[in-house]
Amino acid sequence: MELIDQTPILVDRVYDKLRHAIATCALAPGERIRQAELADRLGVSRQPVSHALQLLKRDGLVEETGRKGLKVTEIDPAHLRDVYQVRAALDALAARLAAERVAAGKMPEAAGHTLTAILDKAGAFSDETPTDERIALDIAFHNQIIAMSDNRRIAETLEPQFAHMMRSMRLVLDVGGFRAKAWQEHREIARLVLGGDIAAEEAARAHAEVAGRETEARLREGRTLRHSA
C-alpha cells in the first residue's frame, strides 16, 4: 500500500484559515494578496496557499487584479442584497420547520436549552463586547434554528454565503440601536419556535429582510462618501 497524499488535507486547512480571516476582515476587503507572506504566516509552502486561493476565488472572496495578482473582493451591495434575499427565505423555512417539530413533540429538549443558552449569553453583552464575538453569537443563533429544523439542505445552501454575511454584519452590529433591535427580534423568533408557533416563519423572514436592507444601505452610503471625498 502506498502512503496517502496529505496535500488535499493541508489545502483544506489553509482554505479554512484564509476564509475565516476574510470573514472577520483580518484580511480586509480590497487588500492585496501576497502568497509568499501568507505562506510564511501560516508556516506552509506556497503550493497549498495557491490551491486554497483558487477555492476562495471560486467562492467570490478573492479576485484577480491583472498583473498585481489577487486581492480580497470588495463587499458588493447588490451581491449582499441577493444573499440576504436567499437567507430570508431559508431562515423563514428553518424557523417554520423548527416550530412544527416543537408542536409535534419531536424537538429534543437539549436543542431548546442550547437556543436559550445563546440568548442568555447575548443578554450578558456589554458595550465593550467585541464585534467579532457578537457576530459569532449571531451566527450561532441562526445556525441553531437551522439545526432545529432538521433539514440539512438549508445549512448546506447557506454555509458558502456565511463568510460574505460575516464581513457585512459588522457594518450593522457596530451600530448600537440596530444591535439591540436584532437581539430583540432573535428573542421573539426563539419564543415563537419554542412555543411551536409557525408565526416564527414570518418573524424570521422579516428579521433577515431588515438586516439585508440595513446592510445594503450602509454599504451604499459608505461608497457614496468615499466617492465624494
Side-chain angles (χ1 to χ4, degrees):
M1 295 179 67
E2 296 180 355
L3 292 175
I4 295 174
D5 181 6
Q6 297 186 32
T7 302
I9 298 173
L10 183 57
V11 171
D12 288 343
R13 292 174 64 188
V14 172
Y15 167 79
D16 288 341
K17 284 281 189 182
L18 294 180
R19 186 171 183 265
H20 184 262
I22 293 172
T24 59
C25 293
L27 288 174
E31 183 174 340
R32 184 180 172 188
I33 299 293
R34 296 174 174 82
Q35 291 190 33
E37 181 180 319
L38 288 178
D40 288 342
R41 287 167 61 182
L42 295 173
V44 299
S45 68
R46 292 183 62 175
Q47 184 178 13
V49 171
S50 178
H51 286 312
L53 288 172
Q54 291 306 308
L55 296 176
L56 292 166
K57 186 177 172 184
R58 175 204 63 189
D59 294 343
L61 292 169
V62 301
E63 62 184 0
E64 297 280 356
T65 59
R67 293 182 179 179
K68 293 184 178 181
L70 296 170
K71 72 171 185 177
V72 178
T73 306
E74 299 281 359
I75 304 176
D76 177 45
H79 176 245
L80 260 295
R81 178 197 62 216
D82 294 347
V83 168
Y84 271 94
Q85 285 174 349
V86 173
R87 176 184 163 182
L90 293 180
D91 278 359
L93 173 60
R96 176 173 63 80
L97 292 175
E100 288 175 345
R101 290 184 73 209
V102 170
K106 296 180 179 180
M107 184 66 69
E109 188 174 337
H113 291 330
T114 299
L115 187 63
T116 300
I118 290 171
L119 295 173
D120 289 344
K121 188 173 181 179
F125 281 165
S126 68
D127 290 341
E128 287 72 40
T129 302
T131 299
D132 285 344
E133 188 174 335
R134 295 179 185 277
I135 291 173
L137 198 64
D138 189 293
I139 289 174
F141 172 83
H142 290 288
N143 281 342
Q144 181 59 18
I145 296 290
I146 291 170
M148 292 169 71
S149 77
D150 200 31
N151 184 325
R152 296 181 183 178
R153 301 300 172 253
I154 295 175
E156 289 175 359
T157 303
L158 282 178
E159 199 279 334
Q161 304 303 327
F162 271 123
H164 293 284
M165 287 187 283
M166 284 178 69
R167 293 203 300 166
S168 67
M169 284 170 68
R170 66 188 58 245
L171 295 171
V172 291
L173 290 186
D174 276 339
V175 181
F178 183 84
R179 191 167 62 202
K181 183 172 179 290
W183 279 103
Q184 289 174 359
E185 292 171 359
H186 287 166
R187 291 186 182 89
E188 177 61 9
I189 293 167
R191 184 187 70 80
L192 293 168
V193 166
L194 295 176
D197 189 338
I198 62 170
E201 178 176 13
E202 284 309 311
R205 186 192 311 278
H207 171 71
E209 288 176 345
V210 169
R213 287 196 296 269
E214 289 280 349
T215 303
E216 183 184 2
R218 287 181 64 79
L219 282 168
R220 294 193 184 283
E221 177 185 348
R223 284 191 170 190
T224 299
L225 290 174
R226 287 197 300 272
H227 291 163
S228 61

